[in-house]
Amino acid sequence: MSEDTQGASMDRILQEISAVGRKLEGMDTAMSALTAETRSMRLEIAGFQSQISGLDHRVAAVESQVVLQTDRDQELLYLRSKLTDLEDRSRRNNICFLGFPEGIEGTDILSYLRDTLPKLADITFDPPLEFQRAHRLGLKRQNGKDRPRPIIACLLRHEQVHQLLQLSRRQGPLRLGPLEIRLSADFSKETADRRRAFLSLRPRLRHLDVKFGLLNQPGCG
């Protein structure tokens, strides 16, 4: 092989070596960029994991608050139920009279009720009726044509309240001459609202031939 041929071969080999070196440098640059990108992705993933961990803690905190609030709501409902029951029990000896004209009781409403109720109910009470207190409900009527205010009375003996209410349920309004007197038990507002809501269901229950009933007061049969 001539010197010129050997020289040309050597030049090609050097050029190829140089090209390979450039490719290797390019690969090193690409590897460096890929390594940097991988490091950046790992940092982003770590950030996402940190955020997810933070969200998990927040979700756990919210769930704990929901459980706590649910417990509080249940406790509140229980306490409201107990208060309603206590209020109803404190009223169990009360009875409301509707229909007595304003002023018919004179100046002594207790004496009037004590004398009038046995005639109204046509019952001889033994022992005699005894009242702890009685009064008209609401402001005094200015117009004589307005509906008279109810009278609410607290009897000493619950059995007599029950006796009067049972009589009223059997007979309807009690009559005193031309007067029609209606009797009702005295309930807390919450209990009264529930009983009124039940009224709309009674026609359907009758249609379905379902037996139903309401207790007048706690402890009443």
Side-chain angles (χ1 to χ4, degrees), residues 105 107-116 129-135 152-154:
E105 68 274 15
T107 58
D108 190 346
I109 192 170
L110 292 178
S111 295
Y112 176 78
L113 291 176
R114 199 162 35 239
D115 295 339
T116 303
L129 287 174
E130 292 186 65
F131 296 88
Q132 299 184 51
R133 56 190 176 275
H135 62 276
I152 184 167
C154 179

Side-chain angles (χ1 to χ4, degrees), residues 80-91:
R80 287 182 60 182
S81 175
K82 293 294 291 183
L83 286 174
T84 298
D85 181 66
L86 288 173
E87 184 176 355
D88 286 331
R89 288 182 183 278
S90 71
R91 297 170 179 240

Side-chain angles (χ1 to χ4, degrees), residues 117-181:
L117 284 185
K119 303 173 186 176
L120 180 68
D122 194 21
I123 295 176
T124 300
F125 291 96
D126 185 22
L129 287 174
E130 292 186 65
F131 296 88
Q132 299 184 51
R133 56 190 176 275
H135 62 276
R136 293 269 187 182
L137 291 174
L139 298 176
K140 187 174 182 179
R141 301 289 190 258
Q142 300 299 321
N143 189 339
K145 296 181 180 179
D146 292 337
R147 180 181 299 178
R149 293 172 295 164
I151 293 176
I152 184 167
C154 179
L155 279 71
L156 181 63
R157 299 176 183 86
H158 175 68
E159 294 78 7
Q160 293 176 338
V161 173
H162 183 55
Q163 189 177 4
L164 285 168
L165 292 174
Q166 288 279 56
L167 177 67
S168 178
R169 281 198 297 273
R170 289 196 303 267
Q171 297 185 8
L174 304 181
R175 303 197 66 86
L176 184 65
L179 301 178
E180 283 192 353
I181 309 300

Side-chain angles (χ1 to χ4, degrees), residues 40-55:
S40 175
M41 290 177 65
R42 286 176 177 174
L43 291 174
E44 289 183 3
I45 291 172
F48 289 146
Q49 289 176 337
S50 177
Q51 292 179 7
I52 291 172
S53 178
L55 287 174

